[in-house]
Structure formats: C-alpha cells, structure tokens
Amino acid sequence: PAKLYQFKLVLLGESAVGKSSLVLRFVKDQFDDYRESTIGAAFLTQTVSLDDNATVKFEIWDTAGQERYKACQSLAPMYYRNANCAVVVYDITQASSLEKAKSWVKELQRQADPNIVIALAGNKNDLSARRVVTTEEAQAYANEAGLLFFETSAKTSHNVQELFYSIAKKMPLD
Ligand code: GDP
Ligand code: MG
C-alpha cells in the first residue's frame, strides 16, 4: 500500500485573483462565477497519488481576507507558520497582482520555513484578450526566485491538476 505523506499548503495573493476558485477546482472540480468571497478560515484537504508507493495529502488553508493586510503584518505569519508549501497567485489581467505576489514570495523566503516549496500561479489564463502580464516576464521572475510556475485557469481547469501535482512531486518524502 502507498505511504501517506501529509503537508500544509497555504494560498496567498491579492484579493480576487482566484485563490479560492483554484482550491475549489482542485478539491471539488467545480467553478462558480458568482462565488461569495471567503469569510473566516477555509480548510480543505485533497490527496495526490504520486505512484504505487506514495500519496501526498495536502491540508489546504485558503486565506479569508488576510490578503487585505499588508505583507509583514498581523495575521499572515500565523497563517503560513509551519506551511510546507505555498501557492502564490496573481491574475494575468492585473499587473499590480504580480507585484503583490512578488512581495508575498519575498516575505515567505524571509520568514517561512526555509524548506518551503513555493509555486507561482498566473491565474485567469482563459482571459487572454485582457492579458497584461506576459508568460515570459512571469517565467523569468519565477526562475530567478526559484519557484515552480504555471499559468492556470480555475474556470477551464487549465493546469490546475498540474500545479498541485508538481508541488507534490517536489515535496521531500522520506
Ligand atoms: P480570491 O479572492 O483570490 O479567493 O478569488 P476568488 O476565487 O473569490 O475569485 C474572484 C473572482 O474571480 C470570482 O468572480 C471568480 O469567479 C473569478 N475567477 C477565479 N478564477 C478565475 C479564472 O480562472 N478565470 C476567470 N475568468 N475568472 C476567475
Ligand atoms: Mg478567497
């Protein structure tokens, strides 16, 4: 039987970039255009089967408005404390959301567990007509900062499984 490895995963990023939608797609394979924003802490789990020997279980902590607080302030450190992995999300149609994502990455790299696995997700990939952040720009930043990188769409499912699967593959299994 496969051994089960459990990890805490946090979602970070500007409000409305699609953090909760990515989690909903990954965990329930659903999407809702008119989803109400998260109130209180949202906690969900999902497993990823790597092979016959290993299954990764993610305990997913979705932000519940913490994105409104500035980095280095208040609730955030409590939220990502003990996180083994993080998905930092921006919206490809909002340039400011990439800047915000970069500040989250910087904070995680300074304050979180030094072994944390960080993935950058450029979400709303389906809105290509409104794109302002190029794939090349984001990929170059991700390479430089040592992050996994995917452009995703919670709406169409594009790269959502791939994102979480690649994080699972990068987790240290002993
Ligand atoms: P959060 O505040 O980061 O958790 O963002 P939400 O998940 O609440 O999403 C904010 C809004 O963006 C909602 O209206 C979603 O339906 C929409 N949204 C989320 N992901 C996508 C996506 O991939 N494509 C499109 N077109 N809309 C999305
Ligand atoms: Mg949310």
Side-chain angles (χ1 to χ4, degrees):
K3 191 167 170 194
L4 187 66
Y5 299 88
Q6 209 158 296
F7 297 106
K8 175 179 174 183
L9 183 151
V10 296
L11 274 287
L12 293 166
E14 199 165 81
S15 187
V17 294
K19 299 180 297 298
S20 301
S21 297
L22 283 170
V23 174
L24 188 67
R25 174 60 78 190
F26 175 53
V27 174
K28 298 188 178 163
D29 199 18
Q30 291 170 4
F31 178 78
D32 186 352
D33 265 305
Y34 304 100
R35 234 188 35 77
E36 282 175 39
S37 59
T38 320
I39 297 166
F43 174 78
L44 288 156
T45 64
Q46 178 63 299
T47 58
V48 172
S49 178
L50 284 183
D51 55 39
D52 291 345
N53 303 315
T55 299
V56 165
K57 180 177 184 180
F58 288 122
E59 300 182 331
I60 304 169
W61 295 79
D62 183 19
T63 45
Q66 281 93 327
E67 62 260 29
R68 279 193 242 116
Y69 296 90
K70 283 219 176 78
C72 308
Q73 214 183 300
S74 71
L75 289 171
M78 200 177 78
Y79 175 73
Y80 59 69
R81 184 178 304 146
N82 304 326
N84 306 106
C85 38
V87 179
V88 180
V89 186
Y90 69 95
D91 171 349
I92 67 155
T93 74
Q94 300 289 339
S96 65
S97 71
L98 179 60
E99 295 315 305
K100 180 70 192 175
K102 289 180 181 177
S103 75
W104 278 119
V105 169
K106 220 183 252 175
E107 178 170 355
L108 287 172
Q109 290 181 333
R110 273 197 210 128
Q111 313 272 356
D113 182 320
N115 296 318
I116 192 168
V117 172
I118 306 174
L120 179 70
N123 193 43
K124 307 198 185 181
N125 174 257
D126 56 291
L127 300 179
S128 52
R130 287 165 44 195
R131 174 193 289 275
V132 296
V133 179
T134 66
T135 307
E136 293 71 23
E137 174 191 0
Q139 180 74 67
Y141 162 68
N143 291 348
E144 177 188 296
L147 317 173
L148 293 166
F149 172 64
F150 289 90
E151 286 191 345
T152 59
S153 170
K155 186 166 186 168
T156 68
S157 304
H158 179 74
N159 270 345
V160 176
Q161 296 301 322
E162 289 82 353
L163 167 70
F164 289 95
Y165 184 74
S166 75
I167 296 169
K169 275 207 307 199
K170 230 189 151 185
M171 300 312 296
L173 309 181
D174 41 40

